Amino acid sequence: MAKVYKIHPAIGFARVGNSPESFPSPTIPGVPARPEKYRDGSKRLKCQAAGFWVYVYDDTTPSAAPVLVEAGPGKPVTGIEWTVHLANKKAAWFRFDGLIGAADILHPPLFGNSPGALRNPLPALTDPDGRLKKWVIDPGPRTASAAGTFVEFRKGGGGGFPETWPAPLLNGNAPGIETLGLMQVHPDFSMTVIGGSGNSGSINGSNIVNYANNPGWFDDTSDGPVTAKVVLADGTRVEAAGAWVVVGPPDFAPPIENIVTMYDAIYDVGLRFGNYDPTIYNVATGQFLPGFTPSFERDVYPVLRRAYQYRWVYNENAPALPGYHSSLNNIAALSTPPSGGSDPNAARRNSIFQKLRAPSATTDPFDSGKMPKVFGDTGDGAGGNGLTLTVTQYEIMRRWAKGQFTRGSGPIPPAPASTVTAAGLDRAALEACVGGAFFPGIECGWIIREPKLYVTPFEFRFLHVDKDPVNGLSPGDVTKRSACPWQADFFQCANNWWPAQRPNQVRESATGRFVDWDDGIGSDMGMVQKWHDLGILVQEPSADNYFEEERQLPPHP
């Protein structure tokens, strides 16, 4: 057996919180992160930790399922040495300006953006060392290998690495940002990354002036590579295929999924450009194969279910009454394929499909009557478009509308997996994140649509300056186009954006009425100072109902 070691999830996500306590990220698709309480005993918001595990593959039998590495004394693998390198490059990067730069993302110089649109113009690009020292947060790589230990990404702990940290903050969350979190190795030699505490502020006392670009501002989100060396019983160290971790804002509605998840977005890239599954899509011809038959449970049901769930977080002009999205009531009835010349649901399926905005409709406004009724990549200003499904999702729904789909014998909704797997870890992490719109997004932006950034689908390509100085990622590259600080985007993008993570409206548990989720914030600075006091949307036990709990702000008016 030729053993190959890989880290899963290949892309993991941590989330900031102002509590030193944390809860684990999702590990099984369809099962959201759900601690007993999202707040600690002092009512502070817990962080979401990103967990990572090493799996071993037999490369002589590619179809064989990978096996979780169980490390410890007396075992074939005695330990795992983990290294994580987080960074935040937002303040050093160009201003986010919609899709500018997306078409030539990997072309030098500097991914195709205009040098005249830096978030912080001085020091200039011609002084890269000056920009690095002033505008990049980089504690350097940190390594931990002893089971049960943790290492902080704290200022002064870089072991000789030329760390860079911002000056003290003059507003926002004083005194400043001096840590990006920590990494912890567990007794079984798995590892978790816990990110920052949600600190943000300005080093020059400036106010927030824009949803994404604010000179002088920093926050403590981050991203970077996760690597591991597997220590064998004879002392040999074997490098595992690396992963990536992204530390983003909180998810304030964990049980509600985005219409387009990050898994959907990256799967679409891998399928259409990475030859991920040639039985579905022919990359050479750019066509889906005629015989591709979607599964209702796997492919269709998630899209319908997510749309129906939006009624709990997006109730513009309508409460969550039985008539809301009435065409999606009784989704299970839409799972029956045509049989024996009979197809009683054909008209209903076609009616739903006709409401979907085609991916080619790049100028269709969000309120055109098409779905999803949320903004797209070009924003909410003049000429702003609506979000579309991915090309793959749209084709799945088109074939379903025509009656070309299968239905298994299991229940609807399908039961989640009962065990954790390598592929399941990859999918669960990505399904809990936004896959559009990217204006600029929440965890990541449109950079994830670039095929050249992947070694294989779902696995980012690391930048190796000596081998390929262009195609790949270095610490901080995934989040550097995101809003700076993230709280500005959370306040100003209040409606029609990402209701499955930043709700528009929520239901009060005590009264049952729908209220604006961000009541009591009132301003950008209010979001900077009070984001951790907002409520969390949770599912009612044993029922498909959702309500807000653990809100620490004054009662809704």
Side-chain angles (χ1 to χ4, degrees), residues 526-541:
M527 187 65 78
V528 168
Q529 296 164 352
K530 302 175 185 177
W531 61 270
H532 43 74
D533 291 330
L534 287 157
I536 312 294
L537 193 79
V538 301
Q539 184 173 4
E540 188 174 296

Side-chain angles (χ1 to χ4, degrees), residues 125-192:
L125 288 172
T126 52
D127 180 10
D129 288 340
R131 291 192 65 76
L132 173 69
K133 292 176 181 178
K134 187 168 184 179
W135 299 118
V136 173
I137 307 174
D138 189 350
R142 304 293 167 95
T143 297
S145 58
T149 63
F150 69 89
V151 174
E152 288 191 84
F153 310 113
R154 180 169 291 281
K155 186 176 183 179
F161 181 88
E163 302 176 38
T164 54
W165 296 89
L169 304 180
L170 301 181
N171 57 9
N173 305 114
I177 297 172
E178 297 185 343
T179 178
L180 291 181
L182 59 89
M183 60 186 294
Q184 183 172 11
V185 179
H186 300 285
D188 65 353
F189 285 93
S190 64
M191 189 273 295
T192 57

Side-chain angles (χ1 to χ4, degrees), residues 283-454:
V283 174
T285 63
Q287 299 290 326
F288 288 90
L289 272 63
F292 166 47
T293 304
S295 156
F296 183 86
E297 297 95 312
R298 183 191 65 226
D299 304 317
V300 177
Y301 176 80
V303 177
L304 300 176
R305 170 69 172 168
R306 294 169 195 166
Y308 196 47
Q309 281 189 316
Y310 264 34
R311 72 195 193 280
W312 300 110
V313 288
Y314 182 176
N315 290 282
E316 183 179 338
N317 302 322
L321 297 175
Y324 187 89
H325 274 173
S326 58
S327 62
L328 297 179
N329 283 338
N330 192 12
I331 295 174
L334 297 168
S335 67
T336 304
S339 177
S342 173
D343 189 5
N345 290 318
R348 189 178 171 200
R349 291 198 312 270
N350 186 65
S351 174
I352 292 171
F353 177 72
Q354 293 303 319
K355 294 178 182 178
L356 300 178
R357 184 179 292 107
S360 58
T362 55
T363 60
D364 185 57
F366 93 102
D367 57 355
S368 66
K370 294 290 187 177
M371 300 298 288
K373 190 183 177 183
V374 289
F375 290 119
D377 290 341
T378 56
D380 57 356
N385 69 327
L387 178 68
T388 74
L389 301 181
T390 68
V391 171
T392 301
Q393 284 180 309
Y394 190 78
E395 180 63 17
I396 286 169
M397 300 305 290
R398 188 185 72 83
R399 296 192 181 204
W400 168 74
K402 291 172 57 180
Q404 186 177 341
F405 67 100
T406 62
R407 163 72 160 97
S409 58
I412 299 294
S418 58
T419 58
V420 176
T421 66
L425 285 168
D426 291 348
R427 182 164 188 159
L430 293 165
E431 281 188 338
C433 301
V434 170
F438 292 131
F439 194 83
I442 292 185
E443 301 89 358
C444 307
W446 42 250
I447 186 174
I448 68 163
R449 295 182 183 144
E450 173 50 58
K452 294 179 183 177
L453 287 185
Y454 299 93

Side-chain angles (χ1 to χ4, degrees), residues 206-330:
S206 60
N207 293 321
I208 291 178
V209 296
N210 185 264
Y211 70 97
N213 308 297
N214 293 285
W217 277 78
F218 289 87
D219 66 32
D220 63 1
T221 59
S222 60
D223 71 89
V226 176
T227 58
K229 292 181 180 178
V230 176
V231 184
L232 305 182
D234 63 2
T236 303
R237 282 172 162 75
V238 181
E239 190 81 28
W244 207 266
V245 62
V246 177
V247 180
D251 181 353
F252 288 98
I256 308 297
E257 287 188 339
N258 297 276
I259 295 288
V260 182
T261 69
M262 195 172 296
Y263 178 85
D264 297 319
I266 296 179
Y267 176 83
D268 182 68
V269 172
L271 189 69
R272 296 193 298 122
F273 301 100
N275 203 34
Y276 181 59
D277 191 340
T279 67
I280 294 177
Y281 190 87
N282 187 319
V283 174
T285 63
Q287 299 290 326
F288 288 90
L289 272 63
F292 166 47
T293 304
S295 156
F296 183 86
E297 297 95 312
R298 183 191 65 226
D299 304 317
V300 177
Y301 176 80
V303 177
L304 300 176
R305 170 69 172 168
R306 294 169 195 166
Y308 196 47
Q309 281 189 316
Y310 264 34
R311 72 195 193 280
W312 300 110
V313 288
Y314 182 176
N315 290 282
E316 183 179 338
N317 302 322
L321 297 175
Y324 187 89
H325 274 173
S326 58
S327 62
L328 297 179
N329 283 338
N330 192 12

